[in-house]
Structure formats: C-alpha cells, structure tokens
Amino acid sequence: MLADFLIGLQNSLNPINILIMSLALAGGIAIGTLPGLSATMGVALLVPLTFGMEPSSGLLMLGAMYCGAIYGGANSAILINTPGTPSAVCTTFDGYPLTRKGRADEALFTALVSSVIGGIIGTIFLMFATQPLALISLKFGSPEYFWMAIFGLTIISSLSEGNMIKGLLGGVLGLLLATIGIDPVTGHNRFIFGFRPLVEGITVIPAMIGFFSFAQILSLVDEDQKYLASYTPNKGIVSKVIGQIFKKSKKNVFRSSLIGTFVGLLPGAGGNVASFVAYNETKRWAKNPEDFGKGEVNGIIASESSNNATVSSSLIPLLSLGIPGSPVAAVLLGGLLIHGLQPGAKLFIESGDIAYTFIIGLVVANLLMLFIGYFGMRLFAQVLNVPSHYIATIVIVLSVIGSYAIRNSLFDVVLMIVCGIVGFFALRVGFEPGPIVLGLILGSIAEEGFSLSLLMANAQGSMFGTFVARPISAFLIFMCIMAIVSPIYVRIKKSRKNKSLENA
Amino acid sequence: MSMRKINIIVGTVILVLSYFFWTDAAAIRPPAHIYPKTVIGITAFLGLTLLIQALFFSKGIADVKPLENMKIGRVLIVIISTIIYYYCLKTIGFFVTSFFFIIVLTWLLGDRQIGLKVFAKLGLLSIVVMGLVYVSFKIFLKVPTPPGILF
C-alpha cells in the first residue's frame, strides 16, 4: 500500500498532471457557476478527452472537473442569488445578503476556503476509511432513506422564521410538486391533469433556476437599482476569512464536512441534501440562529464545506464496491472502464497505483482550487460593477439555455418561466423559495423510501420493525425529534431568560 | 392589498388545489395512494390553518401591503418579453432570437434613449454575449440549444 501511495503522490504532483488539473478545475468552476450546467455534464464532456491519456492523468482531470463544478455553484449563488448547482441552494441564504451588504469578496472567499477544507476532509475519508464507510452505505435501506429525507425536511422550520405556516406550506407544496408524473410503485401517471408533458415530472434544476434565478431577476427589475450591490474590494479579506474559519468556525467546518462525507456516501443523496442538513445543524447549534439568512458567514461555511465533502465520499461506493452512488460517479465508472480498470474490492489490489493517484490527486486538486478559485473570484465579483439591467437580460438567456440543456426539452423552459413568475409573487407575499426547492429535492427520496418500506413492511408483517426498529432508522428518528424539539426548547429558554431579566 | 387579504386568497387557492389533487389521487391503487394522499392532506390542513389565521386571528399578521410600491410595469415588461422570447426561439432558433432579445430587453429596462450610438452599443453587447455563449456552449461544451428555422 505504501508503495502505491508514494507512486500516487508522485503522479499527482507531476507538473503535466498539475497543469491538466488546473485547466479542468477552471473549466469546472465555470460550468458550476452557470445555472443548469451540472458537474455530471462537465465530467461526461471530458471523458472522451481521456482516451488518449494515461489512465492516471485522465482520472485526475475528471476528478478536478468534479471538484471545480461543485464549488463553482457558490459564485453565482453569492453574487446573483442564483445557485449554479442544486448543492449551492443553501449558499444563497447567507451569501447573497452578504453581497447586498457590500461583503461579496468575503462571502466568495469563505465559500472557497470552506469548499477546499470540505473537499480535503472528504478525501481523507476516501483514502483511509473506504471499506468501513462503504459497508455503512450498504446498511442504508429504504426506511433509512425515508427518515433521512424527513430529517432533511426538518430544516423548513428554521428556514421559515417570518411565518411558520407559510414555510411549512412551501415545503409541502415542494413535496406535492415532486409527486407529479409517474408513480414509482404502480408506474401509472398521476396529477398530470391531461397535460402530457407533465408525465416526466417536475425536474429539479429547471424549477430551481425558475424559483431562484428568474424570480430573482424579476425582483431585481422591481427594485430598479442601477447596480446589484455596491462592491469595492475589501483589504485583509484573506486573513479575516482564514481567522474566522480556523478560530471561530472550526467546529462548524469540521461538523459540516463530516455531514457531507456521510451523506455523500449514500447513493442517491448528494451535495444538495448534505448542504441542507449541515446548514440546519449549524443553525441549530449556533449562539446566534437569528442571524442566519441575513448574512451569517457560518451559513456559507456549512453549506460549502458539506457539499464539497460529498465529492470524494460519493466515490466511496464506486471505488470499493463498484456501485456508482451518484450520476457523476456513474460517468466516472465509464471513465475507469474505458481505461481497463474494474472498480470494486480488487481495484486497490490490482491497480493500487492508479487508485491512489486518483485519491491523492483529489487532495492536490482541492489545494489548486484555492489558487484558481481565488483569481476566478476576483473576476466573477466584477459582475457587481455591471448595471443590473444588463445582468437581468443576460441571466434570462443563460437560464433558458440552462433549463433546456438538462433534457433538451422546451417544456423545461416553460417550467422555469412559470416557477420564476410564481416564485417572484410568492416571495412578495412571504413564501421563501428555499422550502419549496427543498421539498422538491427531498420529495422523490422520501416517497421512494416510504413506498418501498411499506412494501417491505407488508411482506415482513411489521410496520414497527421496518420503519422504527432498525438502528440507523431509530437514530434518524431521534435526530428528527431533536431537530423539531430543540429550537422550541431554546426559544422557551430564551423567553424565560428575557422575562427574568425584565423582572430584575 | 393587505397581507390578511392575501393570506385569505392564498389559503383558498391552496384548498382548491388540494381538492383537485385529492380527486385525481382517488384513481391511485393502494398502497401507492398513501404517500401522495398524506402530502395532499397536510397541504390542505396548512392551507386551512392559513385561512383560519387570516380570518379569525388577524392580529398576529403583520400590517403590511406587500404588493404595493411594486414596479409592476417593469416586471410585466420582463415577463411578457420572456414569453415572446420563448415563442420566437421555438420557431426562429435560439441564437438569432437571443441576439434581438438582449438588445430589446436591455433597452426597455434601461434609459430608453433613441439613437444610433445606443443601439450600436447594445448590438455590440449582444454580439459579444452570444459569441461567448456560442463558443462555450455550442463548440466547447456541445450543449444543445433550442432549434428553429434560422440559427
């Protein structure tokens, strides 16, 4: 193993490989920044380019593209309130308010450093704990997925402080939208009301672009400000952000990276679920939960460190068991097979040098991202110096191409426009887009988990045994209860404390 | 319109929506009906709660008029332009339509000055943007764009 490790280190520090990774990272960041263009698309586009390369160089390029694309989503989330990828939805909650306060560069650099730390922590687990973590991921059955989705949904209570009923309504409307299309159990159409294009369901990305991007453009036009926000580069941002992350937020970045690592290794989950769970936990344990959603850097740290931690951990089932747990992992599986590498238990024995080159390369790619992302961030921040009516028009064109590109479907463009118009008016009357998109993302996981668990329960003859009496399910149920009860407990404790202070 | 009135309208719309979904869910065979019916039930319950709160407990609702001071004209310009843009790109094609869309909407949302210089500037902007979109999306990323009779 040590020999393979050293070969891996040597390969990933090879100047040619560093150049390849740098270019792939830059491309990945650009792809991630543009809404609608996904990491899967970026990695898939690069696979043919790896044909003529050494297997290790090809895999390093694919890994760097993956890292860059997941991080890139934060740039547009922070600057124009439009998440470039679904995993950057939570980054908008605090990133955009910071931009409005003239602290865009602080938000962007926080996202970058958090992404790098999350990515490295996730890769360390990939390096040293692949086998045990892969076995945990195998213990995740339908009931566990169902409870994990419910746990993710508990974040709605913390996303809807203005009006709890509207927040919950937004979440269940997202769940309801997710039920449109083909029934996962019977295969019949439902809730399409005679409109055939709805058979394919409401796709998350066009809906997300609508609710965030198009609705945001309408809000921008409504505000009629010359610029999106005032921006002048602030001095001392690097030391300020590093000080914040390593002194004040070290627990947060570590906890969120662990959440990302754990959620990422579950097939079908991914960066979006991880960032919602990490954001919720960070807010729950924070001393100032009321500041979240108004420009709290810890919100960005939680979201970005967790979603980038999923990059490496999502490869754990692939590399150790040969099971692609995410769409990107499926594309990478293709990349591995093209080079004659068979993922699974034998990968580390038969092609240990290449496997370790890939894993160590992910650490190197994350470190390179710190430099490339820093220069990119300076460039992207210039968007704020462009008059807002130019931005509005260009973002609409990019939203159209982004929505269309997912399935080559004009219906998705219509969906984006409708969600945008609904999202704009909903925002005006107190419905935040976050809970709706959260419901839409988690809806399919929750329903599939519930329906399959129900079938299991019928076969086993025990609802309790299937849904509750499983160790991971019981733990997740406990976490759900904690997530609901603890904010209420904290609120009561705070009001009692305030009352006693008033009486004194 | 006050927030109370808006909540009454929203609550009613949610209840009507829940009714249509519930009616459609009647055709779903058991046990597949449990999950969607539960979601519809919760939606209806929350819609009803919002309605009851607005009708009988309006003191808790903030006294704001969220749709007032809205620049509805500008918002409608964007919505209508985007709808026209969608229909045009379906028939004409993405690149030609987007080129004109950028010029027209940027002009409509800007100062609306008329002059050769203004339109030349907007035309140049549109050429640069669409050129970048073409190179990055069509040539490099090979992302498909909505086809039409022109480009």
Side-chain angles (χ1 to χ4, degrees), chain A residues 45 166 191 221-222 408 428, chain B residues 7 24 66 71 74 141 144:
Chain A
L45 283 164
K166 285 184 181 171
F191 310 134
V221 166
D222 182 30
N408 301 346
R428 294 286 303 202
Chain B
N7 286 359
D24 199 75
K71 293 196 167 110
R74 284 172 63 82
L141 295 172

Side-chain angles (χ1 to χ4, degrees), chain A residues 17 20 46 48-59 61 339:
Chain A
N17 285 341
I20 288 171
L46 287 189
L49 291 183
T50 68
F51 289 164
M53 287 181 175
E54 284 289 316
S56 54
S57 303
L59 288 173
M61 184 168 76
H339 290 284

Side-chain angles (χ1 to χ4, degrees), chain A residues 109-319:
Chain A
F109 195 58
T110 304
L112 175 61
V113 177
S114 310
S115 297
V116 169
I117 297 172
I120 291 174
I121 291 176
T123 312
I124 290 169
F125 276 91
L126 175 65
M127 205 181 291
F128 297 110
T130 302
Q131 286 297 335
L133 286 175
L135 292 174
I136 291 177
S137 78
L138 283 182
K139 284 187 178 153
F140 248 74
S142 303
E144 285 80 11
Y145 274 106
F146 171 68
W147 286 115
M148 190 188 66
I150 299 297
F151 179 53
L153 285 169
T154 58
I155 192 186
I156 291 173
S157 62
S158 63
L159 288 179
S160 48
E161 277 180 349
N163 187 327
M164 183 67 86
I165 299 170
K166 285 184 181 171
L168 293 172
L169 247 175
V172 288
L173 282 172
L175 291 177
L176 200 58
L177 286 177
T179 61
I180 293 171
I182 294 171
D183 187 314
V185 179
T186 61
H188 289 147
N189 300 333
R190 60 184 183 184
F191 310 134
I192 63 166
F193 304 105
F195 187 56
R196 299 298 302 170
L198 280 176
V199 169
E200 289 181 41
I202 305 285
T203 322
V204 173
I205 291 179
M208 184 196 79
I209 295 174
F211 280 120
F212 281 96
S213 178
F214 194 56
Q216 176 59 30
I217 291 307
L218 294 176
S219 299
L220 195 68
V221 166
D222 182 30
E223 282 171 14
D224 199 11
Q225 302 282 333
K226 184 148 174 73
Y227 294 98
L228 210 65
S230 63
Y231 171 70
T232 40
N234 295 306
K235 283 183 181 169
I237 281 301
V238 173
S239 55
K240 187 183 175 186
V241 168
I242 289 176
Q244 164 75 33
I245 293 177
F246 286 101
K247 283 182 187 165
K248 295 179 189 166
S249 307
K250 55 187 176 211
K251 272 187 194 168
N252 177 15
V253 76
F254 189 65
R255 181 183 53 228
S256 303
S257 301
L258 285 185
I259 290 172
T261 303
F262 183 71
V263 175
L265 66 93
L266 306 173
N272 42 17
V273 178
S275 62
F276 273 111
V277 173
Y279 186 87
N280 194 25
E281 288 310 297
T282 303
K283 189 176 176 183
R284 200 151 62 86
W285 293 103
K287 286 175 185 164
N288 56 337
E290 64 282 356
D291 292 340
F292 280 70
K294 295 170 190 163
E296 169 58 53
V297 284
N298 277 303
I300 301 174
I301 294 170
S303 172
E304 284 304 308
S305 54
S306 58
N307 67 27
N308 267 72
T310 63
V311 169
S312 299
S313 64
S314 69
L315 302 175
I316 289 175
L318 173 70
L319 295 183

Side-chain angles (χ1 to χ4, degrees), chain A residues 10 41 65 70 174 180-181 247 269 328 368-369 403 441 498:
Chain A
Q10 196 183 7
M41 197 184 280
M65 166 65 82
I70 296 294
I180 293 171
K247 283 182 187 165
V328 181
L368 284 172
M369 195 162 79
S403 320
I441 290 170
N498 289 342

Side-chain angles (χ1 to χ4, degrees), chain A residues 27 31 34 37 41-42 45-46 49 146 163 165-166 168-169 172-173 175-177 179-180 183 185-186 188-193 214 217-218 220-226 389-390 392-394 396-398 400-402 404-405 408 410-411 413-414 416-417 421 424-425 428-431 442-444 446-447 450-451 454-455 458, chain B residues 3 6-7 10 14 17-18 20-22 24-25 27-36 38-40 42-43 46-47 49-50 53 65-72 74-75 78-79 82-83 85-86 89-90 94-95 98 101-103 105-107 109-111 121-122 125 129-130 133 136-137 140-147:
Chain A
I31 285 178
L34 294 168
L37 297 188
M41 197 184 280
L45 283 164
L46 287 189
L49 291 183
F146 171 68
N163 187 327
I165 299 170
K166 285 184 181 171
L168 293 172
L169 247 175
V172 288
L173 282 172
L175 291 177
L176 200 58
L177 286 177
T179 61
I180 293 171
D183 187 314
V185 179
T186 61
H188 289 147
N189 300 333
R190 60 184 183 184
F191 310 134
I192 63 166
F193 304 105
F214 194 56
I217 291 307
L218 294 176
L220 195 68
V221 166
D222 182 30
E223 282 171 14
D224 199 11
Q225 302 282 333
K226 184 148 174 73
H389 60 284
Y390 289 101
T393 317
I394 294 165
I396 292 173
V397 173
L398 293 177
V400 165
I401 195 169
Y404 181 81
N408 301 346
L410 278 167
F411 172 69
V413 179
V414 176
M416 182 275 291
I417 296 170
I421 297 169
F424 169 71
F425 286 103
R428 294 286 303 202
V429 300
F431 285 89
L442 293 177
S444 53
E447 179 170 17
F450 179 80
S451 305
L454 204 65
L455 294 174
N458 285 340
Chain B
M3 189 59 104
I6 287 169
N7 286 359
V10 171
I14 299 283
L17 196 74
S18 304
F20 282 116
F21 271 77
W22 187 269
D24 199 75
I28 303 172
R29 280 203 316 252
H33 68 303
I34 298 175
Y35 177 84
T38 309
V39 175
I40 298 166
I42 297 169
T43 311
L46 289 169
T49 311
L50 190 70
Q53 189 196 41
K65 292 180 175 171
L67 299 179
E68 259 187 21
N69 302 323
M70 214 171 100
K71 293 196 167 110
I72 193 75
R74 284 172 63 82
V75 172
V78 176
I79 293 174
T82 310
I83 293 168
Y85 170 49
Y86 165 75
L89 70 86
K90 252 173 78 168
F94 176 74
F95 286 97
S98 301
F101 176 74
I102 290 174
I103 295 173
L105 189 60
T106 312
W107 183 77
L109 295 176
D111 299 332
K121 193 179 156 189
L122 290 176
L125 168 86
V129 171
M130 292 320 295
V133 168
S136 53
F137 285 76
F140 180 64
L141 295 172
K142 297 192 174 16
V143 172
T145 49

